[in-house]
Amino acid sequence: YEVQDNIAQGMSKLGPAITLDAIVQTLVFGVGTLSGWKQLETISYFACLSVLANYLALMTFYPACLALMLELCHGVIHEQPVSKLQFIMNKDGDEEQKSNPVIQVVKIIMEGISALSNKEIIELVKKKHIAGYQLEKVLGDFERGIDVRRGLIDENLTDKSVMEKLPFKNYDYSAVYGACCENVIGYIPVPVGVVGPLFMNSKDYYVPMATTEGCLVASTNRGCTALKKSGGVRSFLLSDGMTRGPVVRFPTAEECIFAKLTSLQANLAGRYLFIRFVATTGDAMGMNMLSKGVENALRVLKEKFPNMEIMSVSGNYCTDKKCAAINWVNGRGKSVVAEAVIPGKVVREVLKINVSALVDLNIAKNLVGSAMAGAQGGFNAHSANIVTAVYIATGQDPAENVSSSNCITLMETTGDNNSDLYISCTMPSLELGTVGGGTRLQPQAACLKMLGVEGPNKTPGKNAETFAQIVCSTVLAGELSLMSALAAGHLVKSHMQHNR
């Protein structure tokens, strides 16, 4: 504050003289206003006003400009380039002091808003001068924008160490901004394990799984080993069709029946008509794609049936991210089956159990037990574990796990003397894709590339089809291993040993 103090002292000494001079000049010119000559009076009035204006500028604007220029010159003298304004950017913790608005404006004019300190930018966000969700765009720096937002949140946290434990540096946010997440404050590192080789349809696959559940990867890997020793898995796509089910309303139930479309799956409840559109979507999961198409279709229907009221593009008849019998019965997304025959010797040596015990347990647990629980699509041991782990690793929407984990696991004795095991997993509603959404993020794209299904295929839908088969086959490996552990009584022991 030395500069400001010196100016203040100077003004205190010169101020009276400047004031007296202004008064004298005003009085002298004021005499002219009494001359009676109109032209002289006009000139005198303007002269008085100019003296007053000059006085106000000298006493207010001039000292402020002088203080600013001296601060800038001070920076140059100490070899701190004005272009960087580092003499203004405080290095000694003075950010706690209230920022000077004039200095802020100069910084913004000379270098843009990025020249401000994080503390100053936070103040601008608080005052609504900058939208908090646009920090990355305003600053032109993803990482710094996130750092500022973290500082803003950190001020409201009682435990200041929280943000220190949430990483945010060294991440490619360009693929996130405007596509995957808003108001970003960091990312969650999740351990990624790999199982394999999974020998499916005469080809080896190494399947990435992101999980924090101990034993899951190890158990699924054991299933892969058993399948490899048994000749592998055969997997087939049964059907492919993403759905969207809007709801519309008619004045009466009679009109609702009349308008029912025979080419689409439709059901009515009173005067509400629920229409289930089904379409293939290539290598994309396809929800956004289908939503756009359905909106256009509804507009056409509205022209044909003017009394129809379009209530929502989604009427929960799709059904998306909710447990629903319609997905279990009719399918949604990719409907896939995977099957394998495991020789009795492999069951005994690798899985440490016998075939008959596995078949009995599968009937009691996955079929009868699930039926007793009123399960809907849950006729399996833990398909959700594998589906979620693979989905997180490959950039899928983890919430789609609700329907995507629909699975029925069947086991039968087969072969000579019924000494071998036949196992199959049927999954009617795998909602996944290899383009769009989180698949554009580099780590997730790398996991898809590991599977050989990254991005779009020259044959539309082929990558997503193969990916669905891989997921279903991996679920089969997980089912085989967990059921064996349960039948042999190894589950609790392994979790106590590896998942403390």
Side-chain angles (χ1 to χ4, degrees):
Y1 297 105
E2 183 180 354
V3 172
Q4 291 92 329
D5 290 340
N6 290 339
I7 292 174
Q9 290 177 15
M11 291 303 296
S12 67
K13 295 177 181 179
L14 297 175
I18 294 174
T19 303
L20 180 60
D21 185 54
I23 292 173
V24 171
Q25 290 185 46
T26 303
L27 290 173
V28 171
F29 289 122
V31 172
T33 63
L34 304 174
S35 66
W37 295 351
K38 189 173 181 180
Q39 291 179 338
L40 179 60
E41 288 179 357
T42 302
I43 294 173
S44 298
Y45 279 127
F46 278 106
C48 289
L49 289 174
S50 66
V51 170
L52 292 175
N54 183 58
Y55 173 72
L56 291 174
L58 282 172
M59 297 300 291
T60 58
F61 186 69
Y62 173 73
C65 290
L66 181 62
L68 180 60
M69 291 306 299
L70 287 174
E71 286 196 46
L72 294 174
C73 293
H74 178 74
V76 174
I77 292 170
H78 289 78
E79 298 181 354
Q80 297 175 0
V82 175
S83 62
K84 296 303 179 184
L85 292 175
Q86 292 182 5
F87 56 95
I88 295 176
M89 307 284 244
N90 210 312
K91 300 179 181 179
D92 300 319
D94 291 339
E95 283 189 341
E96 298 301 321
Q97 299 176 6
K98 187 175 181 180
S99 299
N100 187 329
V102 177
I103 301 298
Q104 288 183 6
V105 172
V106 173
K107 287 182 182 180
I108 294 172
I109 292 173
M110 295 184 69
E111 280 200 11
I113 199 166
S114 60
L116 299 178
S117 67
N118 285 6
K119 186 73 174 179
E120 289 170 324
I121 296 172
I122 287 174
E123 290 301 318
L124 291 176
V125 173
K126 288 180 178 179
K127 294 175 182 177
K128 308 297 183 184
H129 296 310
I130 300 176
Y133 66 90
Q134 287 191 329
L135 282 167
E136 293 91 340
K137 181 179 179 180
V138 171
L139 294 172
D141 184 333
F142 291 112
E143 198 166 286
R144 190 180 176 203
I146 292 167
D147 192 21
V148 171
R149 187 178 295 114
R150 287 163 62 97
L152 188 65
I153 300 299
D154 193 52
E155 289 185 358
N156 299 303
L157 298 177
T158 53
D159 185 352
K160 302 300 181 182
S161 66
V162 171
M163 286 298 175
E164 296 175 4
K165 298 173 184 176
L166 179 66
F168 75 100
K169 293 185 177 180
N170 303 318
Y171 191 87
D172 181 12
Y173 290 104
S174 61
V176 176
Y177 186 73
C180 297
C181 188
E182 300 77 37
N183 284 337
V184 176
I185 59 172
Y187 56 89
I188 299 294
V190 181
V192 179
V194 64
V195 300
L198 171 69
F199 192 57
M200 184 198 78
N201 295 346
S202 302
K203 185 177 178 180
D204 281 335
Y205 293 92
Y206 288 88
V207 185
M209 296 174 63
T211 181
T212 54
E213 180 178 345
C215 298
L216 177 60
V217 173
S219 177
T220 307
N221 200 58
R222 184 176 74 150
C224 290
T225 301
L227 291 170
K228 178 79 170 178
K229 291 178 178 291
S230 306
V233 189
R234 297 177 299 279
S235 185
F236 312 93
L237 184 72
L238 302 177
S239 64
D240 182 6
M242 182 48 64
T243 65
R244 177 55 93 188
V247 56
V248 297
R249 181 167 59 191
F250 286 83
T252 66
E254 183 179 5
E255 291 183 70
C256 188
I257 295 171
F258 176 75
K260 184 175 178 181
L261 300 175
T262 56
S263 61
L264 296 173
Q265 185 176 356
N267 267 322
L268 61 89
R271 62 194 186 111
Y272 296 98
L273 179 64
F274 296 86
I275 313 166
R276 196 170 195 250
F277 289 78
V278 184
T280 57
T281 55
D283 287 307
M285 196 274 275
M287 280 298 299
N288 292 335
M289 188 187 306
L290 202 59
S291 295
K292 293 176 183 177
V294 168
E295 280 190 340
N296 291 330
L298 290 176
R299 280 196 290 268
V300 174
L301 284 174
K302 179 70 174 177
E303 294 175 2
K304 186 173 180 61
F305 303 101
N307 289 333
M308 183 184 79
E309 176 188 353
I310 300 173
M311 299 194 70
S312 172
V313 73
S314 174
N316 277 8
Y317 194 57
C318 315
T319 292
D320 188 44
K321 299 176 183 176
K322 288 167 283 291
C323 187
I326 195 169
N327 290 344
W328 174 241
V329 175
N330 294 340
R332 187 171 195 257
K334 305 292 187 290
S335 296
V336 188
V337 62
E339 62 179 1
V341 174
I342 316 297
K345 182 180 179 182
V346 174
V347 173
R348 292 189 300 273
E349 294 180 358
V350 177
L351 303 175
K352 312 301 180 184
I353 194 64
N354 60 72
V355 173
S356 60
L358 267 178
V359 173
D360 285 346
L361 178 60
N362 190 70
I363 293 172
K365 172 182 168 62
N366 288 344
L367 303 183
V368 178
S370 295
M372 291 295 293
Q376 200 164 260
F379 296 89
N380 59 81
H382 70 148
S383 65
N385 265 336
I386 287 85
V387 170
T388 305
V390 176
Y391 272 24
I392 293 174
T394 56
Q396 310 304 306
D397 186 346
E400 297 292 359
N401 167 65
V402 177
S403 291
S404 293
S405 295
N406 281 344
C407 173
I408 182 169
T409 300
L410 298 176
M411 295 185 188
E412 306 170 32
T413 57
T414 189
D416 297 336
N417 302 317
N418 289 325
S419 59
D420 299 331
L421 174 71
Y422 171 84
I423 178 173
S424 69
C425 285
T426 304
M427 305 184 74
S429 50
L430 279 170
E431 301 142 323
L432 48 73
T434 60
V435 298
T439 65
R440 73 187 76 214
L441 303 177
Q442 288 185 4
Q444 287 83 341
C447 288
L448 285 172
K449 194 170 186 178
M450 184 189 303
L451 296 171
V453 295
E454 179 193 11
N457 193 286
K458 292 181 180 179
T459 303
K462 185 63 179 177
N463 277 357
E465 176 185 334
T466 302
F467 184 32
Q469 293 171 337
I470 291 171
V471 172
C472 188
S473 299
T474 308
V475 167
L476 186 146
E479 291 285 286
L480 180 62
S481 184
L482 177 59
M483 291 298 289
S484 300
L486 288 168
H490 296 161
L491 178 68
V492 175
K493 181 180 178 181
S494 62
H495 271 268
M496 291 299 292
Q497 181 177 353
H498 300 292
N499 192 27
R500 290 186 282 272

